[in-house]
Amino acid sequence: MPVKKIALSSVIIIVIVFATWAGIFYWQNLRGFLPGFLSPSQDIVESINTTGMPLKLPPGFGIEIFAKDLPGVRVLPTRMSFS
């Protein structure tokens, strides 16, 4: 009987350790991936366009917000200038 208790206890400890590791891995690496793959919940053209000017896309094109309110975001230059 003690061998069964030791084996069961070992299995339970291994499962708890694995579940903890999986939770930490998800929290650190995967928690922000889902919005990139889901469809927007509202008409994105209406929520993005705050200029009052019409925003029209050609057929077959779409627009989405990939991420917003990111800290430390910067615009990268498209051309290098040597002055």
Side-chain angles (χ1 to χ4, degrees):
M1 191 68 146
V3 174
K4 287 183 180 182
K5 286 184 180 182
I6 292 172
L8 182 61
S9 299
S10 299
V11 169
I12 290 174
I13 289 172
I14 290 171
V15 168
I16 290 172
V17 167
F18 178 76
T20 304
W21 175 83
I24 291 170
F25 180 81
Y26 171 80
W27 186 258
Q28 291 178 346
N29 299 305
L30 302 175
R31 65 183 155 142
F33 84 97
L34 197 57
F37 294 103
L38 297 177
S39 297
S41 61
Q42 60 184 4
D43 184 16
I44 206 96
V45 174
E46 296 299 323
S47 65
I48 291 176
N49 188 10
T50 58
T51 62
M53 301 172 71
L55 179 62
K56 296 186 180 184
L57 299 173
F61 284 84
I63 188 169
E64 296 179 1
I65 296 176
F66 184 74
K68 65 179 185 175
D69 300 330
L70 298 174
V73 177
R74 63 179 185 259
V75 176
L76 299 175
T78 56
R79 287 185 256 166
M80 293 182 70
S81 62
F82 299 99
S83 9

